[in-house]
Amino acid sequence: MTEIVGVRFQNSGKVYYFSPNGLSLQMGDQVVVETARGQECGVVSIPNRKVDAETVVSPLKNVVRVMTKEDHRQVEQNEQKEKRAFHVCEQKIEQRGLKMKLVDVSCTFDNSKLLFYFTADSRVDFRELVKDLASVFRMRIELRQIGVRDEAKMFGGLGVCGREFCCRGYLGDFQPVSIKMAKEQGLSLNPTKISGTCGRLMCCLKHEQSVYEELAKITPRIGSIVKTPQGKGRVDDANLITGKLRIRPDKEDEVPYTVDRSEVEVLREGRTRITKEERDLKKLEGK
């Protein structure tokens, strides 16, 4: 077993494991830690805990100390530098006519590097921009192109549900989402209804997918031929959550009726067909 603490560097960022280095830390403590790019400050999201050594990537970096007044003062100075750097970078981008949108600026805790995050529709040659910024700030400059999901995570906002973006509120990593999930959950396949503010498929489609997958295993597919207490028929519609099936009888003079999935016996499983609309919507995936 290895003793660790979990530290998060952003409000909803990924949690990284560090060695507590003899310190007893509580959730919410602000600490300075050693990272691959030097010392950084973060917030403890997992207090001292022992985990299996196999789950830890060795060697663990150490927690240096709990943040002091001087450390907080350094953070405030870095934030002021970030604001100035953002304004300067926007001016330089406009002067050089670069087709890119600046999203955020981050200054490392030790004040050794400025990181500029931007979005663009295609690759951008920003070599001259880096030289411009380096001449102004006299420190290492790094530009990183990010996707629209990362942009939404940084800016935050409210989704169509009225709640804070999942990616901003609590998701540490983006989960893979597919159009198949929307189809299996019986949602409208209209892109405007299943896409988030970022323009990609909504992350929340992933939340209940495992439940729908389990229910799909015990629910006859649409088009299946089934035997019910009322006779033989075809499944016209199925509600995975309630378990109710709408059955169209074989006899044309009989009206459709509703039964529970527990009352039917599947004689022949229906086939799932991909419509043109679904094929068109697949372009939303993986972007």
Side-chain angles (χ1 to χ4, degrees):
M1 302 293 283
T2 302
E3 186 177 14
I4 60 93
V5 291
V7 177
R8 198 190 299 270
F9 298 102
Q10 297 176 348
N11 291 337
S12 57
K14 184 178 179 180
V15 176
Y16 295 89
Y17 287 167
F18 290 87
S19 169
N21 198 23
L23 297 173
S24 179
L25 300 168
Q26 302 299 320
M27 185 178 295
D29 286 347
Q30 294 178 300
V31 294
V32 177
V33 298
E34 289 286 354
T35 71
R37 65 181 193 181
Q39 291 187 352
E40 291 288 349
C41 59
V43 178
V44 175
S45 57
I46 301 177
N48 295 57
R49 179 183 302 176
K50 289 192 175 182
V51 299
D52 292 334
E54 297 177 355
T55 64
V56 176
V57 179
S58 298
L60 283 176
K61 300 285 186 180
N62 291 327
V63 173
V64 179
R65 62 181 177 273
V66 176
M67 287 184 66
T68 63
K69 290 183 179 179
E70 289 74 16
D71 292 330
H72 284 287
R73 193 176 300 113
Q74 178 67 46
V75 171
E76 291 176 358
Q77 292 175 356
N78 289 348
E79 290 176 350
Q80 293 300 319
K81 178 172 288 188
E82 289 169 356
K83 292 179 181 178
R84 176 171 175 259
F86 192 97
H87 179 65
V88 171
C89 187
E90 281 192 320
Q91 289 182 328
K92 298 296 183 182
I93 290 174
E94 184 177 356
Q95 289 173 6
R96 293 198 170 273
L98 298 175
K99 295 181 179 180
M100 56 191 290
K101 175 185 175 184
L102 185 63
V103 176
D104 195 20
V105 179
S106 175
C107 181
T108 56
F109 177 72
D110 59 5
N111 202 25
S112 64
K113 184 195 296 185
L114 276 171
L115 295 95
F116 295 82
Y117 300 91
F118 70 94
T119 59
D121 295 333
S122 58
R123 292 180 63 87
V124 178
D125 184 356
F126 50 71
R127 287 174 294 183
E128 295 303 319
L129 176 62
V130 171
K131 293 179 183 178
D132 291 342
L133 295 173
S135 65
V136 174
F137 296 103
R138 301 293 180 182
M139 58 194 301
R140 291 177 60 194
I141 302 295
E142 184 175 329
L143 270 73
R144 294 183 182 176
Q145 185 170 351
I146 60 175
V148 289
R149 280 188 167 182
D150 298 292
E151 181 182 9
K153 184 182 181 73
M154 287 182 175
F155 280 129
L158 299 179
V160 293
C161 59
R163 296 177 61 88
E164 183 181 31
F165 291 164
C166 297
C167 59
R168 176 71 176 182
Y170 63 91
L171 284 182
D173 293 313
F174 289 110
Q175 300 294 320
V177 186
S178 68
I179 196 66
K180 179 182 177 183
M181 295 179 182
K183 179 183 176 184
E184 292 179 347
Q185 294 174 30
L187 300 176
S188 168
L189 298 184
N190 185 329
T192 60
K193 294 185 178 181
I194 57 176
S195 299
T197 306
C198 62
R200 302 295 181 256
L201 292 174
M202 293 188 294
C203 294
C204 57
L205 292 175
K206 178 72 175 178
H207 298 347
E208 298 176 356
Q209 181 60 20
S210 58
V211 175
Y212 278 92
E213 289 176 352
E214 291 300 317
L215 292 176
K217 293 177 182 178
I218 60 174
T219 305
R221 294 179 181 175
I222 295 175
S224 297
I225 304 300
V226 296
K227 181 180 179 181
T228 74
Q230 289 90 333
K232 190 176 175 183
R234 181 186 300 271
V235 178
D236 261 4
D237 191 24
N239 188 313
L240 293 180
I241 301 299
T242 63
K244 298 300 181 181
L245 309 175
R246 190 174 72 234
I247 308 298
R248 181 175 297 278
D250 282 348
K251 298 180 180 179
E252 295 184 0
D253 58 338
E254 295 184 7
V255 297
Y257 56 91
T258 302
V259 296
D260 190 85
R261 59 178 161 229
S262 61
E263 302 179 62
V264 306
E265 176 187 351
V266 178
L267 302 178
R268 190 178 70 205
E269 193 71 60
R271 295 183 179 181
T272 302
R273 296 182 178 179
I274 300 178
T275 65
K276 180 179 182 300
E277 181 185 24
E278 292 171 295
R279 286 195 295 270
D280 293 340
L281 282 170
K282 280 184 175 292
K283 65 179 66 175
L284 285 172
E285 300 179 33
K287 292 184 178 180

